[in-house]
Amino acid sequence: MTADTDLLKLINPALVEAAASGPRLLGGACRACGARSFPRAAVCTDCLSIDVETLALPSEGRLYSYSVVHQAPKGWDVPYVLGYVDLPDGLRVLAHIAAPPAAIAIDQQVRLALGVVGTDAAGAPLSTYTFVPA
Ligand SMILES: [Zn+2]
């Protein structure tokens, strides 16, 4: 098993940061209208302001919906679960759900984690943020 600190080095630092409580997604909050985004939008999709600050997002949410995916980009492990997670601040995040389909259900509480989702052409792990049952 790969430690979170090792996985974090492989993930775009604009998307995820380490916190004492675990990994956190980094989104955006528009200073003009308050709209949230993930990934952080360079331009607010609600008011077109470019004044969008980086904001750490809640690490737990509710599984809105999911699907089991059997076709994936080269190197990704299949099948995998892809789901929408509703965060308490109103954002809906699309992410891998790192659990077998039999272990998840719509409306289930999930929490952010880091995980390996495949292997690249050189044999290195492909890692990303995921959600797991809370
Ligand atoms: Zn805005």
Side-chain angles (χ1 to χ4, degrees), residues 29-36 43-52:
C30 176
R31 286 189 173 118
C33 76
R36 304 273 171 106
V43 176
C44 177
T45 56
D46 284 15
C47 74
L48 302 181
S49 170
I50 59 169
D51 192 7
V52 179

Side-chain angles (χ1 to χ4, degrees), residues 34-129:
R36 304 273 171 106
S37 57
F38 179 80
R40 179 187 165 276
V43 176
C44 177
T45 56
D46 284 15
C47 74
L48 302 181
S49 170
I50 59 169
D51 192 7
V52 179
E53 66 181 328
T54 299
L55 175 74
L57 302 178
S59 295
E60 288 204 15
R62 186 180 57 83
L63 185 60
Y64 171 75
S65 186
Y66 69 93
S67 183
V68 179
V69 180
H70 294 272
Q71 297 291 324
K74 190 172 185 176
W76 288 27
D77 297 334
V78 288
Y80 68 92
V81 178
L82 186 65
Y84 279 113
V85 175
D86 285 345
L87 300 179
D89 65 357
L91 273 179
R92 180 169 287 161
V93 175
L94 181 66
H96 274 78
I97 308 299
I104 59 175
I106 289 173
D107 284 336
Q108 180 174 17
Q109 282 295 119
V110 291
R111 66 174 171 76
L112 186 68
L114 303 176
V116 174
V117 298
T119 307
D120 73 12
L126 294 171
S127 60
T128 189
Y129 56 90

